[in-house]
Amino acid sequence: KVVGKINDGKEATVYLCRTGRDSGFTYAAAKIFKSRTFRHFETDRNYRNFGKMRDRRMAKLMRGRSDKGEQAFHRQWVKNEWNTLVSLHKLGVRVPIPIAEYDDGVLMEYIGTMDGAAPRLIDCRLDEMELKATAEKLYHDIEIMLAEDIVHGDLSPYNILYSGEPVIIDVPQAMDLRTTPVAHSMMQRDLTNLDRYFEKRKLDVGFLDLMDKI
């Protein structure tokens, strides 16, 4: 049951839902991706290695520019969000716990309280100890991701929630470091975003040093 709207972005709308007893959660967040116009598909084509896709029919559709091709991208986008959340959660990276997958979105753990959703990291004013603990947790989580060749692809303080600890969100564009042509440059951009955030707050973390581990 939908209780209210958490966020309405260009790519998806997130709703606060009351769940059934079987889910293990009283409340959950339903992220519903917007159809067709939710994503610049031409840009996304650069992020995908169609030659490595197991589903050859799906790859052929996604190479094209037809309505069916855009629908295939839409489905792949949702599937990638779900699969990445499942993988990262199993690895111990702090992401919203995945609950269920649907054709147009995913149901996942709600990060927040009844007073409201947890704020984005960019909107938080953390003290020195909180800032340091947040940086250390993110550094550790990214190390885990790199060990599994997972690149977020759009990581920044805008895609991290803070609920006493950082929670990485928005992973539909996540890619495999081994097979995606632009993965290294996307990784460098992600790490640069984090370094800039913490440097502005007088904390030198050195996220870009993680590039040496690739």
Side-chain angles (χ1 to χ4, degrees):
K1 179 182 177 181
V2 175
V3 177
K5 187 183 294 185
I6 298 173
N7 182 50
D8 190 11
K10 293 181 179 179
E11 297 175 353
T13 301
V14 183
Y15 299 94
L16 176 64
C17 302
R18 184 186 292 274
T19 63
R21 295 179 181 178
D22 294 340
S23 72
F25 296 88
T26 303
Y27 293 96
K31 183 176 182 179
I32 307 300
F33 288 93
K34 295 179 179 178
S35 176
R36 301 178 70 175
T37 58
F38 80 103
R39 177 70 186 167
H40 296 295
F41 294 105
E42 193 60 41
T43 300
D44 193 55
R45 284 186 177 89
N46 297 326
Y47 294 176
R48 303 299 168 199
N49 189 338
F50 300 112
K52 297 293 183 179
M53 291 181 62
R54 294 181 180 179
D55 190 330
R56 310 310 301 165
R57 180 175 175 275
M58 177 73 76
K60 183 177 180 180
L61 283 172
M62 291 169 69
R63 279 194 181 101
R65 290 167 171 78
S66 65
D67 287 348
K68 288 186 177 180
E70 291 189 356
Q71 291 169 9
F73 259 114
H74 178 86
R75 182 63 195 134
Q76 185 69 18
W77 201 248
V78 176
K79 176 70 80 176
N80 201 47
E81 172 103 20
W82 171 257
N83 288 341
T84 303
L85 284 175
V86 169
S87 296
L88 294 181
H89 175 58
K90 287 181 178 179
L91 289 168
V93 174
R94 186 64 176 103
V95 295
I97 299 171
I99 300 172
E101 178 190 11
Y102 303 100
D103 286 343
D104 290 325
V106 298
L107 187 69
M108 55 192 165
E109 174 191 8
Y110 167 61
I111 308 297
T113 67
M114 288 313 299
D115 293 328
R120 302 175 303 173
L121 183 58
I122 193 69
D123 298 322
C124 294
R125 297 184 65 178
L126 306 182
D127 63 32
E128 185 177 349
M129 290 185 62
E130 290 171 332
L131 201 62
K132 185 176 181 181
T134 296
E136 290 175 349
K137 181 66 171 72
L138 287 171
Y139 195 98
H140 178 64
D141 282 349
I142 295 171
E143 281 187 311
I144 294 174
M145 293 169 68
L146 284 178
E148 298 296 323
D149 297 302
I150 300 172
V151 176
H152 185 287
D154 191 26
L155 189 59
S156 77
Y158 292 90
N159 284 333
I160 299 169
L161 300 180
Y162 185 78
S163 181
E165 64 177 342
V167 183
I168 295 173
I169 61 170
D170 291 341
V171 295
Q173 71 291 315
M175 59 197 78
D176 191 315
L177 186 61
R178 298 163 296 181
T179 60
T180 311
V182 299
H184 281 76
S185 61
M186 293 296 101
M187 188 73 220
Q188 187 168 17
R189 187 182 69 176
D190 287 355
L191 299 177
T192 298
N193 287 337
L194 294 179
D195 269 337
R196 287 175 177 169
Y197 170 81
F198 287 102
E199 284 170 2
K200 286 182 179 178
R201 288 152 183 81
K202 311 301 182 184
L203 185 62
D204 184 9
V205 182
F207 282 96
L208 271 172
D209 293 343
L210 287 168
M211 292 296 292
D212 296 335
K213 298 187 179 184
I214 297 176

